[in-house]
Amino acid sequence: MTATTEPGATALVDKAQYGLAAFLGLAGGYVLYDASTLDRAFNDQPVQPYALPYVVGAALLVLGVLLAVATARGDRPEAEEGEDVDLSQGTDLRTIGLLAAVLVANLLLIDWLGWAITGALLFTGATYTLGSRTWVRNLAIGAALSVGTWYGFYVGLGLPIPAGILDGVL
Amino acid sequence: MDLLLDGFQTALTPENLLFALIGVLLGTAVGVLPGIGPAMALALLLPVTYSVGVDSAIIMFAGIYYGGMYGGSTTSILLNTPGESSSVITAIEGNKMAKSGRAAQALATAAIGSFVAGTIGTVLLWILVPRVADVVVTLGAPSYFAVMVLAFFAVTMVLGSSKLRGFISLFLGLAIALVGTSTGQARLTFGNAQLADGIDVVVVAVGIFAIGEALWVAAHLRRKPLEIIPVGQPWMSRADWKRSWKPWLRGTAFGFPFGALPAGGAEVPTFLSYATEQKLSKHPEEFGKGAIEGVAGPEAANNASAAGTLLPLLTLGLPTTATASIMLVAVQSYGIQPGPQLLDSEPKLVWGLLASLVIANALLLVINLPMAPLWARLLQIPRPQLYAGILFFATLGAYTANFAAFDLLLLVVLGLLGLAMRRFGLPVLPLIVGVILGPAMELQLTQALQISQGDVSTLWSEPVAVVVYAVMGLMLLAMAVGVVRGKKSPVPATTEDAEELVNR
């Protein structure tokens, strides 16, 4: 059961995996560095605060090296399957980038505009990115969802979501 | 017995019945919907726990868990694409049945088999939970620490094909769990005050399960629609019943113990059940072409293992599936620590949950048999709106944890991590188990060493701990032997079909 992104397997080595290995090395290194900055524990703490970080950091470093070795020896990942996943084509980086941009725009605007507005924009932006062109309808659905969830949380769950510039309107 | 009756009293209040109904309806819906599994659905619903009572929430979550299993089999049979690895067999055999005009029988044997397995599994829980809890209460911190290390080992080594990737995922999770000031000093906070309390598990779960999954699907979205097989009312003839009931029982017998083991999971028992039915069947030639036994057995195994999962969750506080780990997060958010003391301190909650499982199962049978054609319509929902909706609710769920835009930043970062994990074949479960159990493990270690005043030998001073370490040693040995002899697939007969399915 080796599901690969390219069934023809033109390249034998999955070079992107070196990136993951490097990330593990970096993460492990940082965890170790962070552990080295910690002080000794109080007397009632038999487990030093840096004990677990040292173990985790070292393990991440070793795993990064092992992954790099495995990659060089031709080990390839089994990318995850799903009902709507079509692995016969490559990864669509543009869609991911745009979706990430939509999510980041939401987090930048949410304090100012409030969820009732940014939620609707989030939904509309995501549907547009994913290929839907009925954006007026999507905006309507998104607005209904975001205002609906705002009131749902406020009335149903007793959780007032910050309203942003609509404070007093909602 | 009195406790069980009390449990039914808890579960049968109108409010809790309503939550059970909502749970099974939601669960079936998300099970049917492609792209959303029960784990993601629970992650998205975690905000509910901020204001709903704990018994209602857990009853609803259990309904979603069971419902997701029923709905998932509908999708597998009608679409021929397994949503989870545990439904690979159903996708092969059930879809072949559907293509030869027996979709109604496939859906019926899956639903009734799930009901039988779920009911037997629940009764086994009634018997086993109090007994196991009695034993577990006597365990000290050293044993508990050992069991946790075993859980880490087990979820990492048993699941998935690559142990290396399992360990990578586990240690990434443990690293995320380190963030915060739980030991009195700031660890891995990058000097950021907003990280001082650690990363909210809700944000981790939603980011990895929901955002990561949505981004992954978005990057590989199928451009041509899948072929959906139309279906009428599920029903079975007398001959189908005759061929189904034994596989249901055998599937249950495989599923429950595997679910109850730390990291037994649902995949192995479904494969085992399939292989067994093929051997015992009077119609072995039908296997691979749509044999009803090949749907009945594995579906029962799948559901029985879901019930089995609740045994370690309720008695030890150990989650063995992604869905169980989210349920653990939900219970923890009420300040309740599932574990040895749970049955003593919260008998009403535990027995209410155990009673509600039977109710959920009965409800599921009722809503799934007559309404299958209706549920099948959910498969036609347009994908842009579906995945945009997932992103919408994921963002909302993470935001309501603290109403902080900073959490949304963490959410995007963790979502990208979840995406990368799916790209590189890293299993999700070890990471989430690492995040949840990492702090608990450090706590148990601290307690054990505090009692022994720093003497490390206390860690193997209890018999249970020794046994657990021995089991781990055996697992390591088995792994080493496996590496030397080369890996073999558990069920050679089915890998060909699975391969065909995966490579389509």
Side-chain angles (χ1 to χ4, degrees):
Chain A
M1 274 184 58
T2 42
T4 54
T5 30
E6 299 145 87
T10 40
L12 280 173
V13 173
D14 181 10
K15 292 216 177 70
Q17 263 198 147
Y18 287 125
L20 177 66
F23 169 75
L24 291 173
L26 239 113
Y30 186 80
V31 173
L32 286 179
Y33 160 76
D34 187 76
S36 72
T37 63
L38 296 172
D39 299 325
R40 283 195 65 83
F42 308 111
N43 282 334
D44 63 340
Q45 281 181 305
V47 181
Q48 295 296 336
Y50 46 73
L52 206 58
Y54 271 130
V55 174
V56 173
L60 283 174
L61 268 181
V62 172
L63 288 169
V65 173
L66 286 178
L67 182 67
V69 172
T71 307
R73 288 169 61 182
D75 174 270
R76 299 177 64 95
E78 268 180 49
E80 196 180 271
E81 293 286 320
E83 287 108 337
D84 283 338
V85 173
D86 179 5
L87 289 177
S88 58
Q89 287 147 23
T91 305
D92 183 356
L93 286 175
R94 187 171 163 273
T95 305
I96 295 180
L98 285 173
L99 283 180
V102 169
L103 291 172
V104 171
N106 173 65
L107 81 90
L108 292 178
L109 294 174
I110 197 164
D111 281 340
W112 175 43
L113 292 177
W115 170 251
I117 293 176
T118 59
L121 296 179
L122 171 73
F123 184 85
T124 314
T127 47
Y128 188 84
T129 309
L130 290 167
S132 169
R133 289 295 171 267
T134 55
W135 66 270
V136 177
R137 197 182 67 180
N138 292 337
L139 189 63
I141 300 173
L145 277 176
S146 62
V147 176
T149 49
W150 195 91
Y151 277 108
F153 270 74
Y154 185 71
V155 179
L157 301 176
L159 285 175
I161 302 174
I165 54 166
L166 291 184
D167 202 6
V169 180
L170 285 172
Chain B
M1 208 60 215
D2 285 349
L3 286 164
L4 182 61
L5 289 178
D6 284 349
F8 270 104
Q9 268 177 3
T10 309
L12 284 172
T13 59
E15 196 197 347
N16 285 342
L17 265 181
L18 180 68
F19 275 106
L21 185 65
I22 296 173
V24 294
L25 286 175
L26 266 176
T28 310
V30 299
V32 173
L33 279 177
I36 312 184
M40 193 209 276
L42 291 191
L44 293 179
L45 281 170
L46 280 173
V48 170
T49 60
Y50 302 142
S51 61
V52 174
V54 62
D55 47 348
S56 304
I58 202 75
I59 283 171
M60 180 171 82
F61 279 23
I64 293 173
Y65 190 12
Y66 274 28
M69 297 275 177
Y70 278 76
S73 59
T74 306
T75 312
S76 307
I77 290 168
L78 299 181
L79 276 188
N80 189 25
T81 51
E84 293 124 47
S85 46
S86 57
S87 48
V88 168
I89 303 276
T90 314
I92 297 169
E93 209 64 36
N95 190 255
K96 293 267 164 60
M97 279 184 78
K99 279 202 174 125
S100 57
R102 282 168 51 80
Q105 286 82 355
L107 287 177
T109 200
I112 302 172
S114 300
F115 173 75
V116 171
T119 308
I120 296 176
T122 307
V123 173
L124 286 175
L125 283 177
W126 291 348
I127 300 167
L128 289 174
V129 164
R131 288 181 178 60
V132 175
D134 281 347
V135 177
V136 167
V137 171
T138 61
L139 299 182
S143 299
Y144 210 59
F145 173 73
V147 170
M148 283 183 168
V149 179
L150 174 69
F152 285 152
F153 250 70
V155 288
T156 308
M157 305 216 337
V158 178
L159 299 172
S161 50
S162 166
K163 317 282 180 256
L164 172 62
R165 292 188 174 77
F167 278 108
I168 290 174
S169 176
L170 172 69
F171 278 97
L172 283 175
L174 288 173
I176 292 173
L178 285 178
V179 176
T181 50
S182 55
T183 54
Q185 296 183 53
R187 291 195 299 197
L188 293 178
T189 58
F190 301 90
N192 187 328
Q194 282 171 295
L195 282 173
D197 289 335
I199 299 175
D200 202 312
V201 187
V202 175
V203 178
V204 179
V206 173
I208 298 283
F209 282 108
I211 303 274
E213 180 75 17
L215 290 178
W216 173 243
V217 176
H220 294 275
L221 198 57
R222 233 178 257 282
R223 295 300 170 187
K224 51 179 193 294
L226 285 162
E227 173 200 357
I228 304 165
I229 299 168
V231 65
Q233 176 77 42
W235 63 280
M236 290 204 299
S237 68
R238 184 179 284 264
D240 292 324
W241 278 94
K242 227 176 148 183
R243 288 177 62 179
S244 289
W245 72 272
K246 280 184 199 157
W248 289 338
L249 295 182
R250 282 192 289 260
T252 309
F254 278 120
F256 189 85
F258 271 94
L261 287 173
E267 292 129 64
V268 181
T270 54
F271 279 102
L272 283 177
S273 164
Y274 186 77
T276 310
E277 296 314 328
Q278 194 171 21
K279 255 191 215 117
L280 295 176
S281 170
K282 290 191 189 110
H283 316 271
E285 74 285 353
E286 279 184 29
F287 275 76
K289 298 192 190 91
I292 195 165
E293 293 94 335
V295 180
E299 270 306 301
N302 196 358
N303 259 57
S305 95
T309 301
L310 294 174
L311 182 66
L313 183 70
L314 290 174
T315 54
L316 286 165
L318 288 183
T320 55
T321 63
T323 317
S325 62
I326 309 286
M327 287 177 74
L328 184 69
V329 174
V331 176
Q332 280 175 338
S333 70
Y334 288 99
I336 298 171
Q337 186 60 48
Q341 271 79 41
L342 183 67
L343 195 59
D344 279 339
S345 59
E346 303 278 345
K348 202 167 153 263
L349 173 67
V350 175
W351 286 105
L353 170 65
L354 290 178
S356 81
L357 292 177
V358 171
I359 298 166
N361 245 311
L363 285 174
L364 277 166
L365 194 63
V366 174
I367 64 169
N368 269 277
L369 279 184
M371 287 163 65
L374 210 65
W375 291 116
R377 284 220 198 133
L378 279 179
L379 292 172
Q380 284 155 357
I381 191 170
R383 298 304 186 256
Q385 278 78 3
L386 173 65
Y387 289 101
I390 293 173
L391 290 175
F392 176 91
F393 282 104
T395 308
L396 179 66
Y399 185 57
T400 46
N402 301 307
F403 296 119
F406 180 72
D407 277 345
L408 294 180
L409 179 64
L410 289 177
L411 184 74
V412 175
V413 172
L414 288 165
L416 291 174
L417 176 65
L419 170 73
M421 289 177 72
R422 285 167 176 84
R423 157 68 177 82
F424 293 110
L426 300 181
V428 175
L429 179 62
L431 179 134
I432 208 83
V433 168
V435 173
I436 296 173
L437 291 187
M441 181 188 71
E442 197 173 20
L443 186 74
Q444 292 296 338
L445 183 63
T446 305
Q447 277 180 359
L449 291 178
Q450 265 167 354
I451 295 167
S452 75
Q453 299 185 327
D455 181 5
V456 183
S457 71
T458 184
L459 291 181
W460 49 88
S461 64
E462 290 186 13
V464 173
V466 175
V467 171
V468 167
Y469 288 124
V471 169
M472 272 189 280
L474 283 177
M475 281 169 69
L476 270 180
L477 197 71
M479 185 172 86
V481 171
V483 169
V484 173
R485 290 170 65 182
K487 258 193 314 193
K488 274 189 187 155
S489 189
V491 187
T494 58
T495 46
E496 214 173 287
D497 287 327
E499 197 149 4
E500 177 205 12
L501 192 67
V502 164
N503 289 338
R504 271 175 347 117

